[in-house]
Coordinates of all heavy atoms in Angstrom, one line a residue:
D386 N 22.0 62.2 51.4 CA 23.0 61.3 50.8 C 22.3 60.2 50.0 O 21.2 60.0 50.2 CB 23.9 60.8 51.9 CG 23.1 59.9 52.9 OD1 22.8 58.8 52.6 OD2 22.9 60.4 54.0
D387 N 23.1 59.6 49.2 CA 22.5 58.6 48.3 C 21.8 57.4 49.0 O 20.7 57.0 48.6 CB 23.6 58.0 47.4 CG 24.1 58.9 46.3 OD1 23.4 60.0 46.1 OD2 25.2 58.7 45.8
A388 N 22.4 57.0 50.1 CA 21.8 55.9 50.9 C 20.4 56.3 51.4 O 19.5 55.5 51.3 CB 22.7 55.4 52.0
S389 N 20.4 57.4 52.0 CA 19.1 57.9 52.6 C 18.1 58.1 51.5 O 16.9 57.8 51.6 CB 19.3 59.2 53.4 OG 20.1 58.9 54.5
A390 N 18.5 58.8 50.4 CA 17.6 59.1 49.3 C 17.0 57.8 48.7 O 15.8 57.7 48.5 CB 18.3 59.9 48.2
N391 N 17.9 56.8 48.5 CA 17.4 55.5 47.9 C 16.5 54.8 48.9 O 15.5 54.2 48.4 CB 18.6 54.6 47.6 CG 19.4 55.2 46.4 OD1 18.9 55.9 45.6 ND2 20.7 54.8 46.3
D392 N 16.8 54.9 50.1 CA 15.9 54.2 51.1 C 14.5 54.8 51.2 O 13.5 54.1 51.1 CB 16.6 54.3 52.5 CG 15.7 53.6 53.6 OD1 15.4 52.4 53.5 OD2 15.3 54.3 54.5
I393 N 14.5 56.2 51.2 CA 13.2 56.8 51.3 C 12.4 56.6 50.0 O 11.2 56.4 50.0 CB 13.4 58.4 51.6 CG1 13.9 58.6 53.0 CG2 12.1 59.1 51.3 CD1 14.2 60.0 53.3
L394 N 13.1 56.7 48.9 CA 12.4 56.5 47.6 C 11.8 55.1 47.5 O 10.7 54.9 47.0 CB 13.3 56.8 46.4 CG 12.7 56.7 45.0 CD1 11.6 57.7 44.9 CD2 13.7 57.0 44.0
S395 N 12.5 54.1 47.9 CA 12.0 52.7 47.8 C 10.8 52.6 48.7 O 9.8 51.8 48.4 CB 13.1 51.7 48.2 OG 13.4 51.8 49.6
R396 N 10.8 53.2 49.9 CA 9.6 53.2 50.8 C 8.4 53.9 50.1 O 7.3 53.4 50.2 CB 10.0 53.8 52.1 CG 11.0 53.0 52.9 CD 11.5 53.8 54.1 NE 12.6 53.1 54.8 CZ 12.5 52.2 55.8 NH1 11.3 51.9 56.2 NH2 13.5 51.7 56.4
L397 N 8.7 55.0 49.5 CA 7.6 55.7 48.8 C 7.0 54.9 47.7 O 5.8 54.9 47.4 CB 8.1 57.1 48.3 CG 8.4 58.2 49.3 CD1 9.1 59.3 48.6 CD2 7.0 58.7 49.9
M398 N 7.9 54.2 46.9 CA 7.4 53.5 45.7 C 6.6 52.3 46.1 O 5.8 51.7 45.3 CB 8.6 53.0 44.9 CG 9.5 54.1 44.3 SD 8.6 55.0 43.0 CE 8.6 53.9 41.7
S399 N 6.6 51.9 47.4 CA 5.8 50.7 47.9 C 4.4 51.1 48.2 O 3.5 50.2 48.4 CB 6.5 50.1 49.1 OG 6.3 50.9 50.2
L400 N 4.1 52.4 48.2 CA 2.8 52.9 48.6 C 1.7 52.8 47.5 O 2.0 53.0 46.4 CB 2.9 54.3 49.1 CG 3.9 54.6 50.3 CD1 3.9 56.1 50.6 CD2 3.4 53.8 51.5
N401 N 0.5 52.6 47.9 CA -0.6 52.6 47.0 C -1.3 53.9 47.1 O -2.4 54.1 47.6 CB -1.6 51.4 47.3 CG -2.7 51.4 46.2 OD1 -2.5 51.8 45.1 ND2 -3.8 50.8 46.7
V402 N -0.7 55.0 46.5 CA -1.2 56.3 46.6 C -0.8 57.1 45.3 O 0.3 56.8 44.8 CB -0.8 57.1 47.8 CG1 0.7 57.2 47.8 CG2 -1.5 58.4 48.0
R403 N -1.7 57.9 44.8 CA -1.3 58.7 43.6 C -0.3 59.8 44.1 O -0.4 60.4 45.1 CB -2.5 59.4 43.1 CG -3.7 58.5 42.6 CD -3.3 57.6 41.4 NE -3.1 58.4 40.2 CZ -4.0 58.9 39.4 NH1 -5.3 58.7 39.7 NH2 -3.7 59.5 38.3
V404 N 0.8 59.9 43.3 CA 1.9 60.8 43.6 C 2.2 61.8 42.5 O 2.3 61.4 41.3 CB 3.2 60.0 44.0 CG1 4.3 60.9 44.2 CG2 2.9 59.1 45.1
L405 N 2.3 63.0 42.8 CA 2.9 64.1 41.9 C 4.2 64.5 42.5 O 4.2 65.1 43.6 CB 1.9 65.2 41.8 CG 2.1 66.2 40.7 CD1 2.0 65.5 39.3 CD2 1.1 67.3 40.7

Side-chain angles (χ1 to χ4, degrees):
D386 60 76
D387 288 345
S389 294
N391 290 336
D392 178 60
I393 289 177
L394 186 57
S395 67
R396 294 171 187 269
L397 285 170
M398 297 292 289
S399 71
L400 301 175
N401 183 27
V402 62
R403 302 292 297 278
V404 176
L405 194 61

